[in-house]
PDB file of all heavy atoms in Angstrom:
ATOM      1  N   ILE A   7      -5.165   1.913  -2.920  1.00 98.00           N
ATOM      2  CA  ILE A   7      -4.537   1.526  -4.188  1.00 98.00           C
ATOM      3  C   ILE A   7      -3.035   1.702  -4.017  1.00 98.00           C
ATOM      4  O   ILE A   7      -2.552   2.794  -3.693  1.00 98.00           O
ATOM      5  CB  ILE A   7      -5.027   2.389  -5.369  1.00 98.00           C
ATOM      6  CG1 ILE A   7      -6.541   2.216  -5.536  1.00 98.00           C
ATOM      7  CG2 ILE A   7      -4.296   2.014  -6.666  1.00 98.00           C
ATOM      8  CD1 ILE A   7      -7.135   3.044  -6.658  1.00 98.00           C
ATOM      9  N   HIS A   8      -2.314   0.608  -4.181  1.00 96.00           N
ATOM     10  CA  HIS A   8      -0.858   0.623  -4.030  1.00 96.00           C
ATOM     11  C   HIS A   8      -0.182   1.023  -5.344  1.00 96.00           C
ATOM     12  O   HIS A   8      -0.774   0.947  -6.412  1.00 96.00           O
ATOM     13  CB  HIS A   8      -0.370  -0.776  -3.631  1.00 96.00           C
ATOM     14  CG  HIS A   8      -0.601  -1.083  -2.185  1.00 96.00           C
ATOM     15  ND1 HIS A   8       0.382  -1.543  -1.354  1.00 96.00           N
ATOM     16  CD2 HIS A   8      -1.720  -0.979  -1.426  1.00 96.00           C
ATOM     17  CE1 HIS A   8      -0.109  -1.709  -0.146  1.00 96.00           C
ATOM     18  NE2 HIS A   8      -1.383  -1.383  -0.152  1.00 96.00           N
ATOM     19  N   ASP A   9       1.081   1.418  -5.216  1.00 96.00           N
ATOM     20  CA  ASP A   9       1.943   1.637  -6.384  1.00 96.00           C
ATOM     21  C   ASP A   9       1.370   2.692  -7.332  1.00 96.00           C
ATOM     22  O   ASP A   9       1.348   2.512  -8.559  1.00 96.00           O
ATOM     23  CB  ASP A   9       2.202   0.314  -7.129  1.00 96.00           C
ATOM     24  CG  ASP A   9       2.710  -0.774  -6.187  1.00 96.00           C
ATOM     25  OD1 ASP A   9       3.092  -0.419  -5.054  1.00 96.00           O
ATOM     26  OD2 ASP A   9       2.714  -1.948  -6.567  1.00 96.00           O
ATOM     27  N   VAL A  10       0.882   3.769  -6.737  1.00 98.00           N
ATOM     28  CA  VAL A  10       0.395   4.887  -7.539  1.00 98.00           C
ATOM     29  C   VAL A  10       1.623   5.598  -8.112  1.00 98.00           C
ATOM     30  O   VAL A  10       2.398   6.213  -7.389  1.00 98.00           O
ATOM     31  CB  VAL A  10      -0.483   5.833  -6.681  1.00 98.00           C
ATOM     32  CG1 VAL A  10      -0.794   7.110  -7.439  1.00 98.00           C
ATOM     33  CG2 VAL A  10      -1.759   5.106  -6.259  1.00 98.00           C
ATOM     34  N   SER A  11       1.816   5.414  -9.407  1.00 98.00           N
ATOM     35  CA  SER A  11       3.022   5.902 -10.099  1.00 98.00           C
ATOM     36  C   SER A  11       2.660   6.091 -11.561  1.00 98.00           C
ATOM     37  O   SER A  11       1.807   5.369 -12.097  1.00 98.00           O
ATOM     38  CB  SER A  11       4.130   4.845  -9.971  1.00 98.00           C
ATOM     39  OG  SER A  11       5.076   4.979 -11.022  1.00 98.00           O
ATOM     40  N   PRO A  12       3.337   7.034 -12.227  1.00 98.00           N
ATOM     41  CA  PRO A  12       3.090   7.172 -13.676  1.00 98.00           C
ATOM     42  C   PRO A  12       3.352   5.855 -14.410  1.00 98.00           C
ATOM     43  O   PRO A  12       2.801   5.636 -15.493  1.00 98.00           O
ATOM     44  CB  PRO A  12       4.099   8.240 -14.112  1.00 98.00           C
ATOM     45  CG  PRO A  12       4.505   8.950 -12.866  1.00 98.00           C
ATOM     46  CD  PRO A  12       4.328   7.997 -11.730  1.00 98.00           C
ATOM     47  N   ALA A  13       4.170   4.966 -13.807  1.00 97.00           N
ATOM     48  CA  ALA A  13       4.458   3.666 -14.444  1.00 97.00           C
ATOM     49  C   ALA A  13       3.187   2.830 -14.591  1.00 97.00           C
ATOM     50  O   ALA A  13       3.132   1.928 -15.426  1.00 97.00           O
ATOM     51  CB  ALA A  13       5.499   2.909 -13.626  1.00 97.00           C
ATOM     52  N   TYR A  14       2.189   3.116 -13.768  1.00 97.00           N
ATOM     53  CA  TYR A  14       0.942   2.333 -13.780  1.00 97.00           C
ATOM     54  C   TYR A  14      -0.273   3.233 -13.978  1.00 97.00           C
ATOM     55  O   TYR A  14      -1.342   2.944 -13.433  1.00 97.00           O
ATOM     56  CB  TYR A  14       0.782   1.586 -12.454  1.00 97.00           C
ATOM     57  CG  TYR A  14       1.717   0.416 -12.266  1.00 97.00           C
ATOM     58  CD1 TYR A  14       2.548   0.346 -11.147  1.00 97.00           C
ATOM     59  CD2 TYR A  14       1.751  -0.643 -13.164  1.00 97.00           C
ATOM     60  CE1 TYR A  14       3.397  -0.738 -10.951  1.00 97.00           C
ATOM     61  CE2 TYR A  14       2.594  -1.728 -12.981  1.00 97.00           C
ATOM     62  CZ  TYR A  14       3.412  -1.770 -11.876  1.00 97.00           C
ATOM     63  OH  TYR A  14       4.244  -2.846 -11.682  1.00 97.00           O
ATOM     64  N   GLU A  15      -0.111   4.297 -14.700  1.00 97.00           N
ATOM     65  CA  GLU A  15      -1.186   5.293 -14.789  1.00 97.00           C
ATOM     66  C   GLU A  15      -2.530   4.671 -15.208  1.00 97.00           C
ATOM     67  O   GLU A  15      -3.560   4.894 -14.562  1.00 97.00           O
ATOM     68  CB  GLU A  15      -0.792   6.392 -15.771  1.00 97.00           C
ATOM     69  CG  GLU A  15      -1.843   7.474 -15.854  1.00 97.00           C
ATOM     70  CD  GLU A  15      -1.335   8.750 -16.507  1.00 97.00           C
ATOM     71  OE1 GLU A  15      -0.239   8.727 -17.118  1.00 97.00           O
ATOM     72  OE2 GLU A  15      -2.038   9.762 -16.410  1.00 97.00           O
ATOM     73  N   GLY A  16      -2.521   3.883 -16.284  1.00 97.00           N
ATOM     74  CA  GLY A  16      -3.768   3.294 -16.781  1.00 97.00           C
ATOM     75  C   GLY A  16      -4.423   2.394 -15.749  1.00 97.00           C
ATOM     76  O   GLY A  16      -5.640   2.458 -15.521  1.00 97.00           O
ATOM     77  N   GLU A  17      -3.621   1.567 -15.090  1.00 97.00           N
ATOM     78  CA  GLU A  17      -4.154   0.635 -14.093  1.00 97.00           C
ATOM     79  C   GLU A  17      -4.702   1.384 -12.873  1.00 97.00           C
ATOM     80  O   GLU A  17      -5.739   1.012 -12.317  1.00 97.00           O
ATOM     81  CB  GLU A  17      -3.059  -0.342 -13.636  1.00 97.00           C
ATOM     82  CG  GLU A  17      -2.615  -1.343 -14.678  1.00 97.00           C
ATOM     83  CD  GLU A  17      -1.482  -0.828 -15.574  1.00 97.00           C
ATOM     84  OE1 GLU A  17      -1.238   0.404 -15.612  1.00 97.00           O
ATOM     85  OE2 GLU A  17      -0.849  -1.668 -16.250  1.00 97.00           O
ATOM     86  N   VAL A  18      -3.998   2.448 -12.480  1.00 98.00           N
ATOM     87  CA  VAL A  18      -4.461   3.215 -11.320  1.00 98.00           C
ATOM     88  C   VAL A  18      -5.817   3.853 -11.625  1.00 98.00           C
ATOM     89  O   VAL A  18      -6.742   3.824 -10.800  1.00 98.00           O
ATOM     90  CB  VAL A  18      -3.410   4.283 -10.910  1.00 98.00           C
ATOM     91  CG1 VAL A  18      -3.991   5.273  -9.903  1.00 98.00           C
ATOM     92  CG2 VAL A  18      -2.161   3.611 -10.344  1.00 98.00           C
ATOM     93  N   ILE A  19      -5.956   4.395 -12.835  1.00 97.00           N
ATOM     94  CA  ILE A  19      -7.235   5.007 -13.226  1.00 97.00           C
ATOM     95  C   ILE A  19      -8.343   3.946 -13.233  1.00 97.00           C
ATOM     96  O   ILE A  19      -9.444   4.175 -12.722  1.00 97.00           O
ATOM     97  CB  ILE A  19      -7.108   5.676 -14.619  1.00 97.00           C
ATOM     98  CG1 ILE A  19      -6.203   6.903 -14.510  1.00 97.00           C
ATOM     99  CG2 ILE A  19      -8.477   6.076 -15.173  1.00 97.00           C
ATOM    100  CD1 ILE A  19      -5.806   7.520 -15.848  1.00 97.00           C
ATOM    101  N   HIS A  20      -8.028   2.771 -13.756  1.00 97.00           N
ATOM    102  CA  HIS A  20      -8.998   1.675 -13.791  1.00 97.00           C
ATOM    103  C   HIS A  20      -9.449   1.305 -12.360  1.00 97.00           C
ATOM    104  O   HIS A  20     -10.654   1.188 -12.081  1.00 97.00           O
ATOM    105  CB  HIS A  20      -8.348   0.470 -14.488  1.00 97.00           C
ATOM    106  CG  HIS A  20      -9.272  -0.672 -14.761  1.00 97.00           C
ATOM    107  ND1 HIS A  20      -9.101  -1.523 -15.824  1.00 97.00           N
ATOM    108  CD2 HIS A  20     -10.366  -1.134 -14.099  1.00 97.00           C
ATOM    109  CE1 HIS A  20     -10.048  -2.434 -15.818  1.00 97.00           C
ATOM    110  NE2 HIS A  20     -10.830  -2.224 -14.776  1.00 97.00           N
ATOM    111  N   LEU A  21      -8.487   1.149 -11.454  1.00 98.00           N
ATOM    112  CA  LEU A  21      -8.824   0.782 -10.077  1.00 98.00           C
ATOM    113  C   LEU A  21      -9.627   1.894  -9.392  1.00 98.00           C
ATOM    114  O   LEU A  21     -10.583   1.629  -8.651  1.00 98.00           O
ATOM    115  CB  LEU A  21      -7.556   0.478  -9.272  1.00 98.00           C
ATOM    116  CG  LEU A  21      -6.801  -0.802  -9.686  1.00 98.00           C
ATOM    117  CD1 LEU A  21      -5.446  -0.881  -8.974  1.00 98.00           C
ATOM    118  CD2 LEU A  21      -7.626  -2.057  -9.385  1.00 98.00           C
ATOM    119  N   LEU A  22      -9.250   3.156  -9.674  1.00 98.00           N
ATOM    120  CA  LEU A  22     -10.001   4.281  -9.099  1.00 98.00           C
ATOM    121  C   LEU A  22     -11.448   4.254  -9.581  1.00 98.00           C
ATOM    122  O   LEU A  22     -12.381   4.462  -8.802  1.00 98.00           O
ATOM    123  CB  LEU A  22      -9.363   5.605  -9.525  1.00 98.00           C
ATOM    124  CG  LEU A  22      -8.294   6.194  -8.617  1.00 98.00           C
ATOM    125  CD1 LEU A  22      -7.634   7.375  -9.310  1.00 98.00           C
ATOM    126  CD2 LEU A  22      -8.880   6.614  -7.269  1.00 98.00           C
ATOM    127  N   ASP A  23     -11.633   3.984 -10.888  1.00 98.00           N
ATOM    128  CA  ASP A  23     -12.989   3.927 -11.440  1.00 98.00           C
ATOM    129  C   ASP A  23     -13.819   2.849 -10.742  1.00 98.00           C
ATOM    130  O   ASP A  23     -14.993   3.058 -10.421  1.00 98.00           O
ATOM    131  CB  ASP A  23     -12.946   3.639 -12.953  1.00 98.00           C
ATOM    132  CG  ASP A  23     -12.470   4.854 -13.753  1.00 98.00           C
ATOM    133  OD1 ASP A  23     -12.427   5.966 -13.174  1.00 98.00           O
ATOM    134  OD2 ASP A  23     -12.137   4.688 -14.943  1.00 98.00           O
ATOM    135  N   LEU A  24     -13.197   1.681 -10.524  1.00 97.00           N
ATOM    136  CA  LEU A  24     -13.919   0.593  -9.853  1.00 97.00           C
ATOM    137  C   LEU A  24     -14.356   1.019  -8.447  1.00 97.00           C
ATOM    138  O   LEU A  24     -15.464   0.706  -8.000  1.00 97.00           O
ATOM    139  CB  LEU A  24     -13.038  -0.662  -9.756  1.00 97.00           C
ATOM    140  CG  LEU A  24     -12.712  -1.373 -11.072  1.00 97.00           C
ATOM    141  CD1 LEU A  24     -11.692  -2.485 -10.849  1.00 97.00           C
ATOM    142  CD2 LEU A  24     -13.985  -1.949 -11.694  1.00 97.00           C
ATOM    143  N   CYS A  25     -13.466   1.742  -7.760  1.00 98.00           N
ATOM    144  CA  CYS A  25     -13.799   2.203  -6.396  1.00 98.00           C
ATOM    145  C   CYS A  25     -14.865   3.294  -6.442  1.00 98.00           C
ATOM    146  O   CYS A  25     -15.873   3.230  -5.722  1.00 98.00           O
ATOM    147  CB  CYS A  25     -12.550   2.749  -5.707  1.00 98.00           C
ATOM    148  SG  CYS A  25     -11.336   1.496  -5.302  1.00 98.00           S
ATOM    149  N   HIS A  26     -14.660   4.281  -7.292  1.00 98.00           N
ATOM    150  CA  HIS A  26     -15.588   5.418  -7.342  1.00 98.00           C
ATOM    151  C   HIS A  26     -16.986   4.974  -7.755  1.00 98.00           C
ATOM    152  O   HIS A  26     -17.980   5.531  -7.280  1.00 98.00           O
ATOM    153  CB  HIS A  26     -15.059   6.500  -8.303  1.00 98.00           C
ATOM    154  CG  HIS A  26     -13.831   7.188  -7.776  1.00 98.00           C
ATOM    155  ND1 HIS A  26     -13.018   7.985  -8.549  1.00 98.00           N
ATOM    156  CD2 HIS A  26     -13.272   7.191  -6.531  1.00 98.00           C
ATOM    157  CE1 HIS A  26     -12.023   8.460  -7.809  1.00 98.00           C
ATOM    158  NE2 HIS A  26     -12.153   7.986  -6.591  1.00 98.00           N
ATOM    159  N   ALA A  27     -17.074   3.968  -8.628  1.00 98.00           N
ATOM    160  CA  ALA A  27     -18.390   3.466  -9.048  1.00 98.00           C
ATOM    161  C   ALA A  27     -19.177   2.941  -7.852  1.00 98.00           C
ATOM    162  O   ALA A  27     -20.404   2.821  -7.907  1.00 98.00           O
ATOM    163  CB  ALA A  27     -18.214   2.351 -10.082  1.00 98.00           C
ATOM    164  N   ARG A  28     -18.481   2.636  -6.777  1.00 97.00           N
ATOM    165  CA  ARG A  28     -19.140   2.117  -5.576  1.00 97.00           C
ATOM    166  C   ARG A  28     -19.125   3.126  -4.433  1.00 97.00           C
ATOM    167  O   ARG A  28     -19.370   2.767  -3.275  1.00 97.00           O
ATOM    168  CB  ARG A  28     -18.439   0.821  -5.142  1.00 97.00           C
ATOM    169  CG  ARG A  28     -18.632  -0.299  -6.155  1.00 97.00           C
ATOM    170  CD  ARG A  28     -17.659  -1.437  -5.937  1.00 97.00           C
ATOM    171  NE  ARG A  28     -17.963  -2.538  -6.826  1.00 97.00           N
ATOM    172  CZ  ARG A  28     -17.559  -2.626  -8.097  1.00 97.00           C
ATOM    173  NH1 ARG A  28     -16.843  -1.645  -8.625  1.00 97.00           N
ATOM    174  NH2 ARG A  28     -17.884  -3.664  -8.839  1.00 97.00           N
ATOM    175  N   GLY A  29     -18.726   4.338  -4.731  1.00 97.00           N
ATOM    176  CA  GLY A  29     -18.701   5.370  -3.686  1.00 97.00           C
ATOM    177  C   GLY A  29     -17.541   5.214  -2.715  1.00 97.00           C
ATOM    178  O   GLY A  29     -17.563   5.758  -1.614  1.00 97.00           O
ATOM    179  N   ILE A  30     -16.529   4.462  -3.108  1.00 98.00           N
ATOM    180  CA  ILE A  30     -15.364   4.246  -2.238  1.00 98.00           C
ATOM    181  C   ILE A  30     -14.250   5.199  -2.653  1.00 98.00           C
ATOM    182  O   ILE A  30     -13.965   5.342  -3.849  1.00 98.00           O
ATOM    183  CB  ILE A  30     -14.867   2.782  -2.358  1.00 98.00           C
ATOM    184  CG1 ILE A  30     -15.955   1.816  -1.888  1.00 98.00           C
ATOM    185  CG2 ILE A  30     -13.577   2.583  -1.573  1.00 98.00           C
ATOM    186  CD1 ILE A  30     -15.636   0.341  -2.158  1.00 98.00           C
ATOM    187  N   LYS A  31     -13.656   5.868  -1.651  1.00 98.00           N
ATOM    188  CA  LYS A  31     -12.530   6.769  -1.944  1.00 98.00           C
ATOM    189  C   LYS A  31     -11.260   6.164  -1.363  1.00 98.00           C
ATOM    190  O   LYS A  31     -10.940   6.387  -0.193  1.00 98.00           O
ATOM    191  CB  LYS A  31     -12.806   8.145  -1.352  1.00 98.00           C
ATOM    192  CG  LYS A  31     -13.917   8.851  -2.109  1.00 98.00           C
ATOM    193  CD  LYS A  31     -14.286  10.153  -1.490  1.00 98.00           C
ATOM    194  CE  LYS A  31     -15.366  10.826  -2.341  1.00 98.00           C
ATOM    195  NZ  LYS A  31     -16.018  11.917  -1.631  1.00 98.00           N
TER     196      LYS A  31
END
Side-chain angles (χ1 to χ4, degrees):
I7 299 179
H8 282 231
D9 308 347
V10 170
S11 156
Y14 288 125
E15 182 164 13
E17 291 88 343
V18 168
I19 291 170
H20 188 150
L21 291 171
L22 269 171
D23 287 346
L24 292 173
C25 291
H26 291 166
R28 294 165 174 83
I30 298 172
K31 290 175 178 165

